[in-house]
Amino acid sequence: MENEELPELPDYAERVLQAVEEIPPGRVMTYGDVAEYVGEGGPRQVGRVMALHGGPVPWWRVVRADGTPLPGHERRALGHYRAEGTPLRQPPGGGPIRLDMRRARWDGAAPPG
């Protein structure tokens, strides 16, 4: 297949992926936050875009509202969180490490600096 071009992304997918690219290192947004940020769709639509097209963007910065990363990719995500200094917390009584959503959640405002 010579010079085969990649199919063009739908406009909504492009906007979702651009929003994910804008999340600063060490911060996260929920699927619903991303939908609100782009002004269209909801958490499921963002999840679908991420499942189909999210590989090249910092996918670990989009999480569930309860602070858990993408199921099945927790170890890889945890490595990214630690490298970026993303606030984490250990639930009382043990259990898997989660994001500290109060400190890690990004509201879409310009990053400091």
Side-chain angles (χ1 to χ4, degrees):
M1 293 192 255
E2 293 180 28
N3 298 329
E4 186 173 316
E5 290 186 32
L6 294 173
E8 189 172 318
L9 285 176
D11 180 61
Y12 180 71
E14 285 186 25
R15 289 186 292 133
V16 166
L17 298 177
Q18 179 61 44
V20 173
E21 288 279 2
E22 293 174 15
I23 302 170
R27 305 300 294 276
V28 298
M29 289 180 106
T30 67
Y31 292 93
D33 291 340
V34 173
E36 187 176 320
Y37 187 75
V38 300
E40 184 181 348
R44 289 179 187 253
Q45 289 80 12
V46 170
R48 180 81 173 144
V49 169
M50 294 300 293
L52 293 174
H53 309 289
V57 299
W59 53 266
W60 58 92
R61 296 182 191 153
V62 182
V63 299
R64 298 164 115 177
D66 67 358
T68 57
L70 180 65
H73 298 277
E74 296 92 349
R75 289 187 106 152
R76 286 181 54 209
L78 187 57
H80 288 291
Y81 299 142
R82 287 185 170 143
E84 293 183 355
T86 308
L88 302 170
R89 67 179 178 83
Q90 180 73 48
I97 292 175
R98 293 185 180 215
L99 292 154
D100 183 339
M101 292 300 286
R102 287 181 138 173
R103 295 175 37 222
R105 197 172 197 169
W106 186 57
D107 64 3

